[in-house]
Amino acid sequence: EADIYQTPRYLVIGTGKKITLECSQTMGHDKMYWYQQDPGMELHLIHYSYGVNSTEKGDLSSESTVSRIRTEHFPLTLESARPSHTSQYLCASIGLGAGYNEQFFGPGTRLTVL
Amino acid sequence: AQSVTQLGSHVSVSEGALVLLRCNYSSSVPPYLFWYVQYPNQGLQLLLKYTSAATLVKGINGFEAEFKKSETSFHLTKPSAHMSDAAEYFCAVSGSGAGSYQLTFGKGTKLSVIP
């Protein structure tokens, strides 16, 4: 079944730890996105990729980094987590030829940094 | 540049009552418009989308929305609210031109349904 997966779903870690949030999709989509979502707030785009070896920063400045080595995989890394990174992170993708820019979303990772 | 304004961060309706969630947009190009729903601790699920084919768009779970260019609005409605409709709803806009692959989201409206 075609889908978009995020792991872990919940993560509680201490300050200074390095973490990687995983996002994978089985739909063969070329465009992928990372959003940061705080409670009661809109989604803010922090990174996007339009294909392998292509990554760009989004509208919201973020200390995280991303990579796109394989079409299906778009991991997000925080080298040194801080309490200000506490948030929900959502991954999304759009298919080539899907039209209309409809984005499919993963279930999200809720990150808490102590 | 694009923007989305959702009027009312929190809307409460009685079960069986009309649901109306408001969305106004601004876009420098003909827009594509979307409504997404988010249940607690989950990602966003597409409810419906406007892609210039028809101004009245029907979506899943009995929701529909009407595109009104003169009012730059795309309000979401459902004739009769159900308890399962309690969730957060996001309106989003993208451009319709080539390369317009990013969505701009509103701040969301949390819908509560009172039994």
Side-chain angles (χ1 to χ4, degrees):
Chain A
E1 177 181 319
D3 212 336
I4 182 165
Y5 304 94
Q6 289 186 246
T7 58
R9 291 292 318 278
Y10 303 92
L11 180 62
V12 180
I13 61 166
T15 297
K17 300 290 186 183
K18 177 180 179 179
I19 60 166
T20 296
L21 308 184
E22 302 287 350
C23 176
S24 295
Q25 47 93 6
T26 59
M27 298 172 281
H29 288 174
D30 56 339
K31 301 173 186 62
M32 297 187 73
Y33 306 80
W34 275 105
Y35 293 89
Q36 185 173 337
Q37 182 186 26
D38 294 318
M41 300 295 290
E42 67 267 48
L43 280 70
H44 290 288
L45 181 67
I46 52 175
H47 297 283
Y48 62 97
S49 167
Y50 288 172
V52 171
N53 294 324
S54 161
T55 62
E56 300 287 344
K57 289 187 179 293
D59 302 327
L60 182 68
S61 176
S62 174
E63 294 167 347
S64 58
T65 59
V66 293
S67 63
R68 189 89 182 276
I69 299 173
R70 303 198 314 267
T71 298
E72 64 272 20
H73 194 212
F74 190 41
L76 180 146
T77 298
L78 277 166
E79 291 292 335
S80 180
R82 296 207 301 268
S84 60
H85 296 139
T86 294
S87 188
Q88 170 147 275
Y89 293 85
L90 292 168
C91 182
S93 68
I94 294 178
L96 182 67
Y100 313 132
N101 305 332
E102 173 185 340
Q103 293 189 11
F104 293 88
F105 282 81
T109 294
R110 186 166 293 281
L111 172 65
T112 302
V113 183
L114 303 176
Chain B
Q2 299 157 335
S3 67
V4 174
T5 301
Q6 291 185 239
L7 293 176
S9 59
H10 196 173
V11 170
S12 292
V13 300
S14 298
E15 192 174 16
L18 172 71
V19 175
L20 171 61
L21 305 182
R22 300 178 187 273
C23 172
N24 289 89
Y25 72 92
S26 69
S27 177
S28 56
V29 297
Y32 292 150
L33 292 157
F34 307 82
W35 275 101
Y36 284 87
V37 61
Q38 185 178 34
Y39 297 101
N41 298 317
Q42 294 187 25
L44 275 66
Q45 179 185 4
L46 183 70
L47 272 179
L48 50 79
K49 59 190 176 188
Y50 165 76
T51 58
S52 74
T55 57
L56 183 61
V57 181
K58 294 187 184 300
I60 62 172
N61 301 339
F63 284 94
E64 63 181 38
E66 186 173 8
F67 173 70
K68 292 187 176 181
K69 184 178 179 180
S70 61
E71 298 176 8
T72 61
S73 69
F74 190 56
H75 301 333
L76 181 71
T77 61
K78 182 175 180 178
S80 177
H82 191 272
M83 295 299 293
S84 60
D85 295 327
E88 188 141 23
Y89 293 79
F90 291 91
C91 182
V93 63
S94 78
S96 55
S100 300
Y101 301 121
Q102 294 186 17
L103 294 180
T104 299
F105 287 87
K107 292 189 175 184
T109 298
K110 186 175 183 180
L111 175 67
S112 298
V113 181
I114 304 166

